[in-house]
Amino acid sequence: MRLRTTLRSLLPATAALALIGCATVEAPPVAVSDPVVAEPAAEPEVEPASLEAIIADFQVPYETFTLENGLQVVVHTDRKAPIVGVTTYYRVGSKHEPRGRTGFAHLFEHLMFGGSENVENFDIPLEAAGSTSTNGSTWYDRTNYVEVVPTGALDLALMMESDRMGYLLGAVTQEKLDNQRGVVQNEKRQGDNSPYGLDDYVINEELLPVGHPYRHSTIGSMADLSAASLEDVQSWFRDNYGPNNVVLALTGDIDAATARPMVERWFGDIERGPDVVTPEAGPVTLAAPIVREITDQVPLTRVYQAWTGPGMEHPDAVPLQIGMSILGGLNSSRLDNSMVRGEELATSVFAYSQQHEQLSFLQAQVDVASGVSREAAQAALEAEITRMIAEGPTQEEINRAVTQIAAGAIGSQQRVGNFGGKGEMLAEGLLYTGNPGFFIGELQRMAMLTPEDVRAAMERWLTRPSMTLVVSPGERTLDGALLGGWGDEATTPAPEPDAGSAVAVARTGPERALPAPEPVGALTFPNVERATLSNGIEVVLARREAVPQVSLAMIFEAGSVADPIGQAGVHETMVDLLVEGTTSRSALQIAQEQEALGAFLGAGAGAETTTVSLTALTANLRPSLALMADVVRNPAFAEGDVERVKNQRIAGIEQQLANPGGLASRAFLQQVYGPAHPYAFASTAGDADVVAALTPADLAAEHAEWFRPDLATITVVGDVSMAELTSALEGVFGDWEAPANAPSPRNIDAPVPAPATRLVVVNRPNSPSSYLVLGRLTPFRGQPEGFETIELANEVMGGGFLSRLNTDLRETRGWTYGISSFIATAEGPRRYQVQTQVQADRTADSIRVILDQMAAFPATRPVDAVEFQRVTDGNIRNLPNRFETNSQVLGALVSNILLGRDLRYQLSLPDIYRAVDADAINAAAATYLQPDDFVIVVVGDRATIDPQLETLGMDITYIDAEDL
């Protein structure tokens, strides 16, 4: 509903979630310890954990039962927090769609959130009860729905899920269908409007024949979406949404004995439906190689090489996942070494196996470096694939790839539900293979692979004819609206648009009352300890023992505001280089070492802080910290590395300038903050000319100026004691001395323009949608007292799915896929910002609606009782969901430190929210959220938007994208 996700193989998906952690523990009365000073200690020799030991830490026990109507239920108990993940998988996706109705499975997913016969709105009761935002996604093989609720709201969630499974049709009207059709079409426009946004359509068209179930896109074609009717809705529901086609996963503070009667009560009376028939849909071998070339509004040439591969249970599926990772997925991959770090033919490379039930998509892609011929890059790509097939990987490469996946899987154990949580893993395994623990078997098979296993699988599948797509910079000649459908549109007329239907919409089931959620207990938040290293670096630790993993953020008071005006990109480029070579390790060695340790090491510059982050297995914490410390303290800034990374950053700047959201952000920040304030440029990718001129000496000086212990704090969440942590940190940071000179100041008090309404347009031809950013500066800096009331007022206005702006523009009018508003966190002047992407022919209308909605709150529409309950009591009930994972707790602690709040500030939120009344929310909206003096930036096709914008009666300033 909210987004369209790419279904992936079960285990590689978890690797991307390595920074996700687990729920909170009960805190004693005294929760923040007095700081202690760490004593220097000799670092003990510690052997890294073996792959076998790492895999042994990945366990997700479960129980299953099946109702008489065929509903399969899998239950996993995790008592770390009073929350339960509810994950529902339907065995129907886009591969089941008939000709003329591509995109329908996804459109139907949207309709499932519009209410059922006994539930007027699916989101409002659950968010009122403290649920995470409900969500869903559709892909080729399935449609899923996810939410995580307080334990006391599980009965409510099950009633609501059962009501839409059994009794939906009496609530789906023509109006709801038309609204969600518009939302989905804008979702398609938004994806198509991105650089390289049409590539997947073209690849699938060439890889698979017309009519193959995996050929057409899940989003579908505009014509087919326009043709969907109420009759289609009713038949799709009756044919596919029976309980016998469903897996329900309940994960968290629940057990099978408790769950079974609850599930039987709500789902037991729903009648079976027809069994979904799985179509023939295996991989296809091309008769001969195919090469297709297109032009698009992109900054760099991109080359794809693609094949279809085996289904999920094929013996080659696992070795191909590992082989493609070694080819182009790992940081140390073959393609990275040869094409990015080696001959520098590319700025980025990627290869992967995208696993589905009946086939996989095997793909490698290369972004060709500026000044390099496409032919040279393509030849290098093909040569590396040939070498992989001929020689195979080493055992060490296999072990590193599997270790990374296993470490990511361990991290994913911390999330009970939602996308990427344990509920998804269990449900997918049961749905596709009949085995909820299928993912554990996958991991075990990976650990047993030999080089010959991988080489032979790569040879069997990658020596077949491939499809090559070359996307070159130029004018966009393809129309995304015409792509994504069945594939015979050139010879077969499009279906007629839906003209409305006289089909009866009537109640189909009994009346059922929503059960009241039970009260929630007091919020728990982990104990917080403080210590100081011998060189003065402050250490903050929240110990959580749920999984054997540690997440760490070393934060420096620096950020991109450190760049003087006219020098945007210097600090970010320096930070990019930290992981690209030290005085004792090359970039390749850094990549290989973190992979072998199962660690995830990164560095990034925000506007006001610079962060080096690490997620490490507890058993490998000491060597992981040694690697991190080397990166922080000893970057080499070698000339070759500097040139390569500069080229990559320049490519990133070009990508930002090709992206509508990137253009809108750059234009908006410059207009709001003005040319003299560093915030105008600090959140951008930088200035290409500035980056191009940088020397190794410049970057070394930048590092020396801002990377110093007296500007650093270390915040840690995970399975480690303070004694163990400080001992390890002392060993790698304790002898790091601050320079004698005082730290450099950052000019966040620079002057800003006087507030005034301005309409700014950036032309982006051939854009099917317009990107809007509206806002202004607020009087706030940092975290003023009472700011929570303003945050709650913004939540009513634009801060969530049920906000007024999203409800109006998305759910009522169908002009956008989503809209949001926020007040950006900053030490200096904080901005209020509204942003959305709308269909191009509704650009001016959308601006009017946004301004009118904001002006009405509270003048003609004060906060109502439902909104008030959701943002106060609903938020209190939802708090345990916000601190389920290590990364969530880490983020909370870091925010508390940066904003000068108590380290356990979150424990005060229930009382703060309870003290807020409706009058206070209305007053906050009237004072701070009005659209006065708004800067309005529009990025779109002037041929479409100019006549509309003239009707707004505002003076218009035009900016060329090249000037941003």
Side-chain angles (χ1 to χ4, degrees), residues 624-706:
S624 299
L625 283 173
L627 175 62
M628 175 186 175
D630 193 35
V631 162
V632 168
R633 299 179 60 179
N634 306 308
F637 302 114
E639 187 169 353
D641 293 333
V642 168
E643 287 305 309
R644 170 171 51 82
V645 171
K646 282 166 50 178
N647 289 335
Q648 290 174 309
R649 175 147 291 275
I650 291 169
I653 294 168
E654 292 171 343
Q655 293 278 16
Q656 188 176 66
L657 292 170
N659 186 287
L663 286 170
S665 178
R666 290 174 77 106
F668 177 74
L669 293 174
Q670 291 178 31
Q671 291 293 316
V672 166
Y673 287 108
H677 201 288
Y679 286 177
F681 312 98
S683 295
T684 72
D687 184 306
D689 291 336
V690 169
V691 173
L694 290 172
T695 66
D698 296 331
L699 296 164
E702 181 75 8
H703 177 267
E705 184 174 6
W706 295 105

Side-chain angles (χ1 to χ4, degrees), residues 38 306 438 443 494 515 623 632 676 715 738 751 770 842-843 849 886 888 942:
F438 177 75
L443 193 55
V632 168
T715 307
S770 299
R842 291 294 188 176
T843 301
V849 168
N886 282 354
Q888 288 172 313
R942 285 189 58 185

Side-chain angles (χ1 to χ4, degrees), residues 231-246:
E231 289 91 345
D232 296 323
V233 170
Q234 294 192 357
S235 61
W236 187 266
F237 178 76
R238 294 189 180 110
D239 291 346
N240 300 299
Y241 267 64
N244 46 301
N245 297 315
V246 180

Side-chain angles (χ1 to χ4, degrees), residues 554-606:
M554 186 171 197
I555 297 178
F556 295 85
E557 295 177 36
S560 294
V561 293
D563 290 337
I565 298 300
Q567 293 296 305
V570 175
H571 191 79
E572 288 178 293
T573 305
M574 180 272 289
V575 174
D576 290 344
L577 276 150
L578 295 181
V579 295
E580 297 297 334
T582 70
T583 53
S584 61
R585 292 175 170 96
S586 68
L588 175 59
Q589 289 171 326
I590 291 171
Q592 291 175 334
E593 192 168 340
Q594 66 172 307
E595 291 161 1
L597 291 169
F600 299 86
L601 174 65

Side-chain angles (χ1 to χ4, degrees), residues 3 48 108 127 172 175 243 260 294 314 413 494 549 661 759 828 958:
L3 51 85
F108 189 89
E127 290 204 23
V172 181
E175 181 183 12
R260 182 157 196 155
I294 63 173
H314 192 283
Q413 292 181 89
Q549 202 169 55
L759 177 57
Y958 297 96

